[in-house]
Amino acid sequence: MSARIDYIRPLDFKSGRIDMNHGAGGRASAQLVDELFAPAFDNDWLRQGNDQAQFDPPPELAQGGRLVMSTDAHVVTPLFFPGGDLGCLSVHGTVNDVAMAGARPLYLSASFILEEGLPLKVLQAVVQSMARASHEAGVPIVTGDTKVVEQGKADGIFITTTGVGVVPAGIHIDGAQARPGDVVLLSGSIGEHGVAVLSQRESLSFETAIESDTAALHGLVAEMVRVAGAGLRVMRDPTRGGLATTLNEIARQSRCGVHLQESAIPVLPQVAAACELLGLDTLYVANEGKLVAVCAPEVADALLAAMRAHPLGQRAARIGVITPDEHGFVQMSTRLGGRRVVDWLTGEQLPRIC
């Protein structure tokens, strides 16, 4: 971040647009930082004005904890959708990826790729949404970067966020930890995010509003870690590819199978109806505020109760079990009494969704 410079005129957030000068590293770049990014993300680390953030190690490290780091690029069309936008999505996505290790997220960095001609008011709305999401999550954006590309070489805004967190001593949550007999829990209903984005993109309307579930899950995770401790084996957030792909990833890593009960998987009626109308399988639709957990059977009841007591886990459900299966198949008992294989997602149901 740059030192303050006196500018001839302030940025015009009503009708101004991004131009190539905003990415050239000179006065216009500094002005964009000074008048938009720095005030929105303001914190002690960012105020240092360096090309990096300097901070003290968290106390958990001295007690045997471990650092966690995750990075993710965020692209979505449209930029704004019912229940969220690219800004809050970019914060929630990386906070959640860090939290899925059982970690306490500490800091974020943000990198922006901006397209020439982007209205400044659109960029301002996205940045302010990021700032709100960061503040509400208690995870500051401490460093960042901005580049501008020629018109037609991007899609408005691309955001890459990186997160750093710390895992308490004694907690080891990993995709390879699932064991036969373990219980599979889901924190809530699936499909809202993907359907909300699609409805906005295609100008579809439904009788009941469908909003994205985008949310930061680290508060829920902290409570789950407190209750289940080492009995919490695996956590994942089922984003791209949905619940089905996430469970296939877990099965492959753990070299086990998964057996689901279709009737136990919560889906809002309006989401189920929309997916049926659009020819989508809710198991493959992206989510941004849900998690899948695999836990030891002896802690399952207490963990499920703790999840349901949290605002982001009120619809939590026990949806299946881990099975011995060297082929790593995910199978599901259907409502009609049959059984089917729930395979990996092939292709892309919904492009630019997270």
Side-chain angles (χ1 to χ4, degrees):
M1 294 294 175
S2 63
R4 184 72 195 184
I5 301 173
D6 292 327
Y7 304 106
I8 296 174
R9 61 179 63 87
L11 292 173
D12 180 1
F13 288 110
K14 290 185 178 180
S15 58
R17 292 182 178 273
I18 290 292
D19 61 42
M20 296 304 295
N21 288 327
H22 289 115
R27 186 181 296 270
S29 298
Q31 184 176 19
L32 190 64
V33 170
D34 285 344
E35 296 185 13
L36 179 58
F37 294 116
F41 302 149
D42 184 51
N43 55 68
D44 291 341
W45 299 275
L46 206 60
R47 235 174 276 136
Q48 294 169 3
N50 297 317
D51 286 341
Q52 73 290 120
Q54 302 180 43
F55 39 79
D56 295 325
E60 289 95 331
L61 291 184
Q63 301 163 8
R66 304 183 315 282
L67 284 175
V68 172
M69 181 178 179
S70 180
T71 191
D72 201 357
H74 302 271
V75 296
V76 65
T77 302
L79 297 175
F80 303 91
F81 46 84
D85 54 71
L86 179 63
C88 65
L89 191 68
S90 65
V91 171
H92 295 157
T94 297
V95 165
N96 292 346
D97 284 346
V98 170
M100 291 306 105
R104 175 171 66 94
L106 298 172
Y107 309 107
L108 294 172
S109 72
S111 174
F112 297 82
I113 304 296
L114 308 177
E115 184 179 15
E116 181 185 19
L118 176 73
L120 279 169
K121 64 182 179 182
V122 172
L123 177 59
Q124 182 185 43
V126 169
V127 169
Q128 288 177 342
S129 177
M130 286 185 73
R132 285 193 298 272
S134 169
H135 177 75
E136 291 169 0
V139 186
I141 298 170
V142 299
T143 190
D145 185 46
T146 304
K147 295 292 186 294
V148 178
V149 297
E150 293 88 348
Q151 195 162 18
K153 292 190 175 180
D155 194 10
I157 312 174
F158 298 156
I159 303 176
T160 297
T161 46
T162 298
V164 176
V166 62
V167 180
I171 300 300
H172 185 60
I173 295 172
D174 186 283
Q177 296 297 312
R179 306 169 189 173
D182 283 350
V183 176
V184 182
L185 305 178
L186 177 64
S187 68
S189 53
I190 59 173
E192 288 103 307
H193 175 73
V195 173
V197 172
L198 183 63
S199 66
Q200 186 71 18
R201 180 186 299 158
E202 303 298 337
S203 300
L204 302 175
S205 59
F206 303 102
E207 289 186 5
T208 305
I210 300 174
E211 294 190 348
S212 170
D213 61 343
T214 181
L217 296 170
H218 58 304
L220 172 61
V221 168
E223 184 62 14
M224 294 170 66
V225 169
R226 184 190 70 80
V227 170
L232 187 55
R233 316 257 206 232
V234 183
M235 282 193 293
R236 289 285 175 85
D237 53 336
T239 53
R240 282 183 302 171
L243 177 64
T245 300
T246 297
L247 291 172
N248 273 280
E249 291 172 349
I250 294 171
R252 181 182 64 176
Q253 283 185 267
S254 295
R255 298 181 180 179
C256 295
V258 181
H259 183 204
L260 301 173
Q261 294 292 334
E262 184 179 23
S263 60
I265 299 173
V267 181
L268 297 179
Q270 60 267 36
V271 171
C275 286
E276 183 175 359
L277 176 67
L278 298 168
L280 301 175
D281 187 335
T282 53
L283 293 175
Y284 296 92
V285 177
N287 311 272
E288 288 293 341
K290 302 298 187 307
L291 64 82
V292 177
V294 177
C295 68
E298 61 268 21
V299 303
D301 289 341
L303 183 56
L304 182 60
M307 293 169 71
R308 288 174 172 170
H310 191 278
L312 294 178
Q314 292 176 351
R315 293 191 181 97
R318 183 192 299 240
I319 64 169
V321 295
I322 303 298
T323 60
D325 183 351
E326 61 181 11
H327 301 292
F329 287 144
V330 178
Q331 301 182 64
M332 183 169 70
S333 293
T334 69
R335 289 187 177 88
L336 299 177
R339 180 178 288 204
R340 73 176 177 98
V341 173
V342 180
D343 206 350
W344 293 81
L345 175 66
T346 301
E348 183 78 63
Q349 279 202 125
L350 302 169
R352 295 204 185 287
I353 205 145
C354 57

